[in-house]
Amino acid sequence: MNSGVQPSSVDLNYKPRRLNKVIELWEDGQPMYYTSAGLTPGVDAYGQGVKLARTYADCIAVEFEHTAFDMVMLTEFMRGIVDGGPTRSGHRMPCVYVASPVIGMNEPYAWPIAGISARCWIAA
């Protein structure tokens, strides 16, 4: 039975009710906290994903708006997120969002959005 209240980290009977904790927090009127993925040139993206799968944060921000748009790095990071899970709250993986270098509202710029979506959905 779900009480509708976000559980403490010591509730051994807690079962996730949504894909990730951020959705549950929003439903409960609670704030969510995020951290940066820290994906920069030279960083082991897979290892960073494994490490961040158990982060204190509810959500992880991947920054491509002002850094290199590296889809291989995103793929490896998402693979690490899944392999490093589940999260401390018991979810398969934390929420991950990507700041895209383009809006993607017209045809010539839609491909980056499709690439980001494909890599994130495959992981979920």
Side-chain angles (χ1 to χ4, degrees), residues 39 45 62 64 69-82 92-94 96-98 110-124:
L39 296 179
V62 176
F64 281 156
F69 185 65
D70 188 338
M71 298 307 291
V72 172
M73 183 178 281
L74 179 61
T75 302
E76 288 302 301
F77 177 74
M78 294 304 294
R79 193 168 62 86
I81 285 280
V82 172
R92 182 168 182 248
M93 59 188 279
V96 176
Y97 72 89
V98 178
W111 69 267
I113 305 305
I116 290 168
S117 297
R119 280 147 183 88
C120 292
W121 279 111
I122 288 169

Side-chain angles (χ1 to χ4, degrees), residues 95-106:
C95 174
V96 176
Y97 72 89
V98 178
S100 169
V102 296
I103 297 173
M105 292 182 64
N106 55 19

Side-chain angles (χ1 to χ4, degrees), residues 29-92:
Q30 299 294 316
M32 68 90 173
Y33 298 94
Y34 75 96
T35 188
S36 171
L39 296 179
T40 57
V43 169
D44 172 18
Y46 178 81
Q48 188 74 349
V50 169
K51 175 181 153 188
L52 286 176
R54 307 212 16 107
T55 181
Y56 70 91
D58 306 308
C59 188
I60 300 168
V62 176
E63 172 62 54
F64 281 156
E65 187 174 8
H66 301 287
T67 60
F69 185 65
D70 188 338
M71 298 307 291
V72 172
M73 183 178 281
L74 179 61
T75 302
E76 288 302 301
F77 177 74
M78 294 304 294
R79 193 168 62 86
I81 285 280
V82 172
D83 291 350
T87 65
R88 292 178 183 175
S89 61
H91 295 85
R92 182 168 182 248

